[in-house]
Amino acid sequence: MTFSMCIPPPNVTGSLHIGHALTVAIQDALVRWHRMRGDRVLWVPGSDHAGIATQAVVEKQLWKERGLRRHELGREDFLKEVWQWKEEKGGEICEQLRALGASLDWDRECFTMDAGSSVAVTEAFVQLYNAGLLYRNCQLVNWSCALRSAISDIEVENRPLPGRTELRLPGCPTPVSFGLLVSVAFPVDGEPDAEVVVGTTRPETLPGDVAVAVHPDDSRYTRLHGRHLRHPLTGQLLPLITDPAVDPQVGTGAVKVTPAHSPADAEMGARHGLSPLTVIAEDGTMTPLCGDWLQGLHRFVAREKIMGALRERGQLRGLQDHPMVLPICSRSGDVVEYLLKSQWFVRCQEMGDRAAQAVESGALKLCPSFHQKSWQHWFTHIGDWCVSRQLWWGHRIPAYLITEGHDKQGDKDCWVVGRSEAEARQAAAELTGRPGTELTLERDPDVLDTWFSSALFPFSALGWPQKTPDLVHFYPLSLLETGSDLLFFWVGRMVMLGTQLTGQLPFNKVLLHSMVRDRQGRKMSKSLGNVLDPRDIISGVELQVLQTKLRDGNLDPAELAFAAAAQKKDFPHGIPECGTDALRFALCSHGMLGGDLHLSVSEVLSCRHFCNKIWNALRFILNALGENFVPQPSEELSPTSPMDTWILSRLALAARECERGFLTQELSLVTHALHHFWLHNLCDVYLEAVKPVLLRKPRPPGPPQVLFSCADVGLRLLAPLMPFLAEELWQRLPQRPGGLSAPSICVAPYPSAHSLEHWRQPELEQNFSQVQEAVQVLRALRATYQLTKARPQVLLQTLESEEQDLFQAFLEPLGTLSHCGAVSILPPGTTAPSGWAQATLSGTVQIYMELQGLVDPQTQLPRLAARRLKLQKQLDGLMAQTPSEGEAETQKQQRLSALQLELSKLDQAASHLRQLMDEAPAPGSFKL
């Protein structure tokens, strides 16, 4: 089989955080498993040029170090600076990926601005243009004034505000209030006392108003149909128009129409033939159309000046809290403006319909499946995608404006598209009917949206548009694994463009993991101080170093103080060294189907302790095997004792669960199965039970063979998740005779459930579970009577012959695991010895434990009384609490039951001790 996957290319600007580490841990575990199965595997590494973010970082650096702006350098020299910065800083991500153990195909590493990607981007643009799916138009776009660039719809965060809310915004000297409805009077022309009151949340756009609209059936304004109103600031006449889109139930039922700065108003303006007035410039200042008193002011400073003017003129009719949704640029934090711009757009409806149909038909599977609903909704309501970005860093748009040498048709510019200027010139010649040499072409200065090149990554990274061997063998990809937050930013666009340009879905399954949050449930954010470099968890880091990293970042002073305090609270002693394997295992242990992933360092530290447990288990096993041990082939291994049979059955079960987890790509099933086998089956039970067996002379040959198989198979099961630990320990195991063993565990065969099925003994496992219950009962009795060193005799009595046989097979391990002495079966009908501690198991088995001579009643009774008093106080306190509801009440009742059971055990123990004070035969005097 072939298995191919690509890493979601991280932004070259920064370093990986824990969210990236989760992606790497999941993907690497899957590709390692496929390699161990013998599949032909390709895992493509790469990084993204991150147009907006990278340009912003380099511009800040230029200003900070040399006092230069990019326009002073010029485009060519600025791009040289960016490439130099990328070469110096871009290697950090690769270092982090290697530290995480990512077994990527490094010889296939690509960058979304390298030569191959540039060819693919140009080809994609040309093909989409020729297919009529790319067009240029002057229309409203989402504009970030802080970035001075257009942004796409899904880079706009719609933030709900309950009412008046103050926000600090980039470039604005003071906080700005939002969530306020301003009521403004528009006088009716020719009627001195008549006016129409209009509500707006954006008074700064008043200079751009070209009309006032009301619903045609709103009787309040019927008499004013066809009349004109006076603009409250300029005095210009504005028509009062009627449009069914106006909601008469909202506000006064009258709305101002600003086609240049509102999508809804632009549609209304087009219906009524109204010319738009652009009053906000690209940099967020007011344009000359606003007049000298406003020109050049920041738009939110102008807002206050406009409000003052309305008050002075007596045309402000009210100011009230108003719930609203504010569009925020997710890149810069600035309020998004809607500006009229000539840009390139991708028509998405047809491609979006195909993407929706692919999921609906099952051709494309989204996992978890609950994402399907939002997928269908997004593609049902998808708009065209503005792909122009007013940046220098990125793929320059391969479109050319014919500036001279042709007859211009009206005000419409004439554009051509080509893979090269020569191809564009030939297209221009065909379009104009003039020789290409007589035409002057000017290339579009804008670059393409970063997500455009990212959307091509699954096939451009394999050599498309060339039909390379990689593209033939590995495309479509077997799987796309990424964070659920990229479902529309990246996944949806890959599906649209991949299907359109290659004729195939770029992958047939999408695996989406949850967002990683800190233990308080907060999203990872630099301003909160909770963003962690995975290497800091792997190697450990002092608090001072963490704080230094914060100070070296680009947080403003207020954010820095908050982040530093939060970091000091979360990591007062820094972060202890946890290791790569522990971090990977902790990340993969969270289920895919749940909500957000809350990860704490203490959880990773717990996995480090698990690693230590495995290490110590292998030390014990290697010591038990000795120097001259020769392993048997696993298919020839036949257990000779019930304990050997049990552990091999549990090992086969673990292999089956791991296989199920990898096949379903639910890695939490794998981590759970491995943790349970290594810790609870092998370390806690089998290794303890086998210790006395290994001390026998001569030593039985079976247990060492079983120990070897547990180590060999167990480490190979573990290898995809804990590659470093598994490799180190597996290399120390003795080799099987004959045949060549794999040079590394990463290419050793992954244990298949089928090959180990002959070890499965479910009935014996069920029987041993009763033995383990008996172990727990005996340990509890030892704890109650505080038997720390003594090894008391134990008697088991049952009327059922099957149960007698069951326990008879495990008498020795039962004694070993419960830290007791000899364990015997008490025949049915035989009177139990007097004064022995007694407990019931499952209602049918009586357990007796020797106490005579092992416990001093006079010493123990006061201790029991003190413990009973303490527990009784806890019980009384709980009983006195007022009843609660839901989960809290359930937990309270469970605690009450536990306390009452413990008190009952203490009372029973006290009764036994009082009996012992009356009877004092010698210890060990009872004989069957």
Side-chain angles (χ1 to χ4, degrees), residues 99 351 371 434 460 548 571 590 602 798 915:
M351 292 188 290
H371 289 291
R434 302 279 297 277
S460 65
T548 301
F571 312 111
H590 291 266
S602 60
T798 175
Q915 280 184 347

Side-chain angles (χ1 to χ4, degrees), residues 24 217 228 462 561 592 615 743 747 756 807 838 840 860 887 923:
V24 172
D217 299 331
H228 285 78
L462 299 177
M592 302 288 289
W615 181 275
V747 288
L756 303 180
F807 284 105
Q838 180 183 357
T840 301
Q860 290 296 332
E887 188 176 342

Side-chain angles (χ1 to χ4, degrees), residues 529 531-551 564 567-578 601:
V531 171
L532 293 177
D533 184 332
R535 292 172 298 184
D536 289 340
I537 299 177
I538 291 168
S539 304
V541 65
E542 295 177 351
L543 174 63
Q544 183 180 353
V545 176
L546 287 173
Q547 301 265 287
T548 301
K549 286 185 177 183
L550 272 182
R551 289 193 293 272
Q567 199 178 65
K568 192 172 183 179
K569 181 180 178 183
D570 285 345
F571 312 111
H573 308 295
I575 298 172
E577 180 183 353
C578 296
V601 173

Side-chain angles (χ1 to χ4, degrees), residues 538-825:
I538 291 168
S539 304
V541 65
E542 295 177 351
L543 174 63
Q544 183 180 353
V545 176
L546 287 173
Q547 301 265 287
T548 301
K549 286 185 177 183
L550 272 182
R551 289 193 293 272
D552 291 345
N554 56 0
L555 299 178
D556 66 44
E559 286 181 323
L560 178 60
F562 181 86
Q567 199 178 65
K568 192 172 183 179
K569 181 180 178 183
D570 285 345
F571 312 111
H573 308 295
I575 298 172
E577 180 183 353
C578 296
T580 299
D581 288 331
L583 176 59
R584 288 166 59 113
F585 200 84
L587 289 167
C588 290
S589 65
H590 291 266
M592 302 288 289
L593 298 177
D596 292 334
L597 189 159
H598 296 238
L599 185 76
S600 65
V601 173
S602 60
E603 183 183 347
V604 185
L605 199 57
S606 174
C607 290
R608 179 193 170 182
H609 297 152
F610 175 51
C611 293
N612 291 343
K613 197 81 172 178
I614 296 171
W615 181 275
N616 290 331
L618 260 292
R619 285 180 59 191
F620 174 86
I621 291 172
L622 290 170
N623 185 58
L625 297 182
E627 293 183 6
N628 300 317
F629 174 79
V630 178
Q632 287 180 350
S634 58
E635 60 272 12
E636 295 179 13
L637 179 58
S638 180
T640 56
S641 75
M643 280 308 301
D644 292 349
T645 303
W646 175 80
I647 192 61
L648 291 178
S649 182
R650 297 301 296 174
L651 179 57
L653 177 64
R656 189 177 75 181
E657 288 300 295
C658 288
E659 187 173 277
R660 184 166 72 94
F662 276 118
L663 286 171
T664 59
Q665 290 149 358
E666 183 55 76
L667 297 189
S668 60
L669 296 177
V670 183
T671 57
H672 176 77
L674 290 169
H675 187 270
H676 194 77
F677 171 75
W678 276 98
L679 192 61
H680 301 300
N681 296 158
L682 185 63
C683 294
D684 290 352
V685 179
Y686 185 73
L687 295 189
E688 294 301 319
V690 83
K691 284 177 182 178
V693 179
L694 294 172
L695 294 174
R696 293 179 190 163
K697 299 294 183 182
R699 176 190 286 183
Q705 294 291 344
V706 171
L707 285 171
F708 174 83
S709 289
C710 287
D712 173 42
V713 176
L715 288 173
R716 283 187 284 135
L717 289 173
L718 190 68
L721 295 155
M722 291 188 172
F724 294 104
L725 179 68
E727 186 72 58
E728 176 67 30
L729 295 176
W730 191 76
Q731 292 291 350
R732 300 183 183 208
L733 290 176
Q735 292 189 10
R736 296 187 188 274
L740 296 173
S741 64
S744 166
I745 196 171
C746 68
V747 288
Y750 196 82
S752 71
H754 177 73
S755 67
L756 303 180
E757 192 62 32
H758 63 285
W759 283 346
R760 288 285 288 124
Q761 296 290 336
E763 187 176 347
L764 182 134
E765 287 186 39
Q766 182 63 37
N767 291 345
F768 188 68
S769 66
Q770 289 183 258
V771 177
Q772 289 178 293
E773 289 177 27
V775 168
Q776 295 304 317
V777 170
L778 285 166
R779 287 181 178 178
L781 283 175
R782 287 175 54 81
T784 300
Y785 293 100
Q786 297 187 336
L787 298 175
T788 53
K789 295 181 179 179
R791 295 292 185 264
Q793 289 188 81
V794 173
L795 295 172
L796 301 177
Q797 187 178 53
T798 175
L799 297 175
E800 302 289 339
S801 60
E802 289 183 1
E803 284 186 323
Q804 283 190 34
D805 296 341
L806 183 160
F807 284 105
Q808 189 71 49
F810 292 102
L811 290 182
E812 183 180 0
L814 175 55
T816 302
L817 295 171
S818 58
H819 308 297
C820 292
V823 182
S824 306
I825 300 293

Side-chain angles (χ1 to χ4, degrees), residues 280-358:
I280 297 175
E282 292 180 358
D283 61 355
T285 60
M286 306 305 284
T287 67
L289 288 176
C290 302
D292 293 342
W293 68 296
L294 293 176
Q295 181 182 350
L297 289 180
H298 190 285
R299 63 197 187 282
F300 295 124
V301 173
R303 171 188 285 191
E304 297 306 314
K305 199 166 183 180
I306 288 170
M307 293 288 289
L310 291 172
R311 286 190 185 93
E312 287 177 13
R313 300 178 187 195
Q315 289 170 319
L316 184 64
R317 293 293 178 262
L319 191 65
Q320 64 190 59
D321 277 19
H322 181 71
M324 65 177 291
V325 175
L326 189 68
I328 300 288
C329 170
S330 63
R331 299 277 187 182
S332 66
D334 198 5
V335 173
V336 171
E337 293 296 335
Y338 301 104
L339 300 187
L340 277 170
K341 290 287 171 188
S342 289
Q343 309 275 272
W344 291 97
F345 294 85
V346 174
R347 298 186 201 275
C348 293
Q349 190 61 58
E350 181 184 333
M351 292 188 290
D353 288 344
R354 286 202 297 265
Q357 179 58 32

Side-chain angles (χ1 to χ4, degrees), residues 830-849:
T830 306
T831 305
S834 176
W836 284 39
Q838 180 183 357
T840 301
L841 176 66
S842 304
T844 60
V845 180
Q846 296 299 317
I847 298 178
Y848 302 96
M849 188 178 76

Side-chain angles (χ1 to χ4, degrees), residues 871-893:
L871 291 177
Q872 187 63 51
K873 284 183 178 179
Q874 292 180 22
L875 182 66
D876 293 342
L878 271 178
M879 296 287 284
Q881 289 179 7
T882 54
S884 50
E885 294 181 0
E887 188 176 342
E889 180 63 21
T890 302
Q891 291 175 350
K892 175 184 168 184
Q893 292 301 323

Side-chain angles (χ1 to χ4, degrees), residues 351-421:
M351 292 188 290
D353 288 344
R354 286 202 297 265
Q357 179 58 32
V359 168
E360 190 173 339
S361 67
L364 177 63
K365 184 179 180 183
L366 302 182
C367 186
S369 58
F370 61 74
H371 289 291
Q372 293 180 13
K373 185 175 181 181
S374 53
W375 177 273
Q376 300 294 1
H377 180 269
W378 190 68
F379 278 112
T380 301
H381 298 88
I382 194 169
D384 288 352
W385 173 18
C386 173
V387 291
S388 296
R389 294 293 179 271
Q390 288 62 48
L391 305 169
W392 286 356
W393 174 244
H395 292 283
R396 194 164 174 184
I397 294 174
Y400 300 79
L401 176 65
I402 306 174
T403 57
E404 290 182 27
H406 78 292
D407 298 326
K408 197 170 182 181
Q409 309 239 338
D411 294 332
K412 194 172 180 181
D413 289 333
C414 190
W415 287 85
V416 289
V417 168
R419 294 171 182 83
S420 63
E421 183 175 338

